């Protein structure tokens, strides 16, 4: 079937709405949102902050490249630390 763009919004049924949604998802007309609005701390700064505050024996950091979900840009940054002078048993 085909979607009729002249159909009034109040007359669109579930099947037509699903079809329209699929058509919009399949098109490449829209650019993904710009991730420049994000302010990543960065692996260096994550590591530096953890080393300063906790003085761990081991620290590992990771920063993923920016991505989008439902039109919202996001960035994942993570750090894990083990042991150290300020660690409570």
């Amino acid at each position: 079937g085909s979607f009729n763009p002249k159909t009034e919004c109040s007359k669109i049924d579930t099947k037509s709405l699903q079809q329209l949604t699929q058509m919009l998802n399949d098109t490449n007309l829209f650019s993904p949102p710009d991730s420049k609005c994000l302010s990543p701390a960065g692996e260096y700064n994550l590591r530096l902050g953890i080393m300063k505050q906790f003085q761990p024996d081991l620290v590992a950091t990771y920063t993923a490249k920016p991505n989008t979900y439902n039109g919202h840009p996001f960035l994942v940054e993570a750090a894990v630390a083990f042991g150290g002078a300020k660690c409570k048993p």
Side-chain angles (χ1 to χ4, degrees):
S2 62
F3 182 81
N4 183 355
K6 295 183 180 185
T7 303
E8 293 180 33
C9 292
S10 62
K11 307 246 189 244
I12 297 176
D13 61 1
T14 303
K15 183 179 178 183
S16 296
L17 185 58
Q18 290 171 340
Q19 187 178 16
L20 175 61
T21 302
Q22 187 62 47
M23 287 174 15
L24 288 172
N25 285 335
D26 291 345
T27 186
N28 290 325
L29 295 175
F30 307 105
S31 298
D34 191 0
S35 61
K36 290 180 184 173
C37 64
L38 302 174
S39 299
E43 289 188 59
Y44 175 79
N45 289 328
L46 282 174
R47 180 180 304 275
L48 190 66
I50 289 173
M51 294 299 288
K52 180 181 176 184
Q53 291 297 316
F54 302 106
Q55 300 163 1
D57 294 328
L58 174 70
V59 63
T61 58
Y62 176 76
T63 300
K65 65 181 183 174
N67 209 333
T68 59
Y69 179 75
N70 281 345
H72 301 284
F74 71 94
L75 176 69
V76 175
E77 295 185 298
V80 177
F82 294 98
K86 294 187 177 182
C87 181
K88 293 181 182 179

